[in-house]
Amino acid sequence: MSDDLKGKSSKVKVMYVRNEDNTRQRTGNPRTGKGGHSPSRQQEPGRRQEEKSRSPWRTVSRAPSEAPLKPQPDTGVRNIVDPEVIRKQRQEETRVYGENACQALFQSRPESIVRAWFIQSVTPRFRETLRWLAANRKAYHVVEDAELVKASGTDHHGGVCFIIKKHMGQSVSEWLEQAAEKECVLALENVGNPHNLGAIMRSCAHFGAKGILVDDASLLESGAAVRTAEGGAEHVQAITAGSFAEGLDAFRQAGYTIVTTSSHAGKPLSATELPEKMVLVLGQESDGLKESTLKQGDISLSIDGTGSVESLNVSVATGILLAEWWRQNH
């Protein structure tokens, strides 16, 4: 073997020779003393087998069991969910989102919550809710905003969404069994915009109108309506009847005064004394009340103003009318 210096770097050039066994050996660095003989890769078969047996990652072959597993008998039972059950379950559930709406729902009826989603930033304000969900084995998820958009179906989720069991409507007869002596019930004919419904429920909660007669109780529990109500939906009960006209007749027979509203006719609100016990009837946003419904009224009201616009938004009109009833009777 020989080594000589190459260039200014004075690096040692290492050369290799073959030994008698025709295997390559590497000599050590004469300047540093490092290196030296490295064992040949061609190890003895016995030594390689010994090292392999000591390895914790070795593969162990096992003989097949003398008693093979017997196939389980087919009982014919299949874990299949009936689509009809799923459809019925979805009809009984709805989504609620928005921080105030979900807080109010939890305070009012936590047992109705089926599942919940939160983004991280709102969890400190829902500590009590999270503890209750965990203690009662209710599924909840802390997720990113994009996943909450999918769960709630809207960008306006407010950082939280609940899947809940619907708060079903109450029949007129059930409502009348617990009616108060001084009471204003709202009746909405063909009012379907969820944002208007939410604003109406918020005004009802503020002015103490606890019942709303509607054709479809589920309208009051749509996600957009409940969010717009900002917690007011938990203080309002949907009331249903065989038909809208039948519901009004049942209230009249129970001693309620039926008060209809119109933007074109009727006594000015400012000059009208409102009864203590009444049903306030409002119509759809575009056409107002049907002619047949107007005929059912005992009193017809209009909200007097400048006349610069034809009519007010139904939710705004509701707030004005309820505020005047509250002022006169409370």
Side-chain angles (χ1 to χ4, degrees):
M1 183 187 80
S2 65
D3 54 280
D4 49 347
L5 301 177
K6 294 291 290 183
K8 296 181 181 180
S9 63
S10 300
K11 292 183 178 179
V12 176
K13 181 179 180 181
V14 181
M15 301 184 69
Y16 300 90
V17 297
R18 297 186 180 277
N19 62 11
E20 297 177 354
D21 297 330
N22 200 29
T23 59
R24 191 173 71 175
Q25 292 181 333
R26 180 174 179 176
T27 61
N29 189 324
R31 299 179 62 193
T32 63
K34 297 180 179 180
H37 174 76
S38 60
S40 171
R41 294 183 180 178
Q42 297 180 357
Q43 299 177 351
E44 301 86 345
R47 183 177 176 182
R48 293 180 61 188
Q49 186 65 30
E50 180 183 356
E51 290 182 355
K52 185 176 180 181
S53 65
R54 290 199 301 265
S55 172
W57 308 109
R58 65 185 184 276
T59 301
V60 179
S61 299
R62 300 185 184 276
S65 173
E66 295 182 0
L69 294 176
K70 295 181 179 180
Q72 296 296 322
D74 187 0
T75 60
V77 178
R78 297 290 185 271
N79 189 19
I80 300 176
V81 179
D82 188 348
E84 183 64 23
V85 173
I86 296 177
R87 186 189 65 80
K88 184 178 180 181
Q89 180 179 348
R90 288 178 177 173
Q91 287 180 337
E92 294 173 350
E93 295 176 352
T94 188
R95 287 178 291 193
V96 173
Y97 46 84
E99 188 169 336
N100 290 338
C102 289
Q103 289 280 23
L105 188 144
F106 173 70
Q107 296 298 327
S108 175
R109 46 188 176 119
E111 69 285 348
S112 68
I113 301 174
V114 177
R115 185 180 294 268
W117 290 263
F118 306 87
I119 60 173
Q120 185 64 47
S121 60
V122 306
T123 54
R125 298 188 291 279
F126 281 89
R127 286 194 184 97
E128 184 182 353
T129 306
L130 292 168
R131 283 195 295 266
W132 188 91
L133 292 171
N136 289 273
R137 299 181 181 272
K138 301 280 188 175
Y140 70 88
H141 316 272
V142 178
V143 298
E144 299 295 331
D145 183 83
E147 189 170 347
L148 188 51
V149 169
K150 293 180 181 179
S152 63
T154 178
D155 292 325
H156 307 291
H157 49 65
V160 57
C161 174
F162 292 165
I163 298 293
I164 66 166
K165 292 289 186 181
K166 288 181 180 178
H167 197 186
M168 305 306 291
Q170 194 174 66
S171 68
V172 175
S173 59
E174 290 173 328
W175 178 268
L176 293 175
E177 290 176 359
Q178 45 83 48
E181 289 297 322
K182 187 183 294 187
E183 184 173 72
C184 179
V185 171
L186 209 63
L188 301 178
E189 184 180 55
N190 297 327
V191 178
N193 184 293
H195 300 287
N196 282 338
L197 289 170
I200 288 170
M201 288 191 288
R202 190 172 182 177
S203 294
C204 285
H206 185 74
F207 293 113
K210 299 179 180 179
I212 302 180
L213 176 66
V214 287
D215 285 324
D216 183 2
S218 66
L219 291 174
L220 301 185
E221 285 205 304
S222 73
V226 175
R227 181 186 64 82
T228 306
E230 295 287 353
E234 295 307 311
H235 302 279
V236 177
Q237 172 66 54
I239 306 171
T240 58
S243 68
F244 195 76
E246 289 178 11
L248 293 181
D249 284 338
F251 275 110
R252 176 183 287 106
Q253 294 173 13
Y256 288 74
T257 301
I258 308 301
V259 179
T260 58
T261 54
S262 172
S263 59
H264 308 292
K267 298 172 60 176
L269 175 63
S270 58
T272 304
E273 182 178 350
L274 298 177
E276 293 182 349
K277 199 167 188 176
M278 72 177 197
V279 177
L280 179 61
V281 190
L282 294 104
Q284 59 182 315
E285 294 86 341
S286 57
D287 300 327
L289 295 174
K290 296 178 182 177
E291 193 65 33
S292 58
T293 304
L294 285 170
K295 292 178 180 179
Q296 285 188 274
D298 302 310
I299 300 173
S300 180
L301 288 180
S302 64
I303 300 174
D304 40 330
T306 64
S308 298
V309 292
E310 182 180 0
S311 63
L312 293 170
N313 175 275
V314 64
S315 65
V316 175
T318 300
I320 293 171
L321 292 161
L322 290 178
E324 182 61 17
W325 175 79
W326 176 267
R327 186 191 68 80
Q328 292 186 24
N329 293 285
H330 290 79

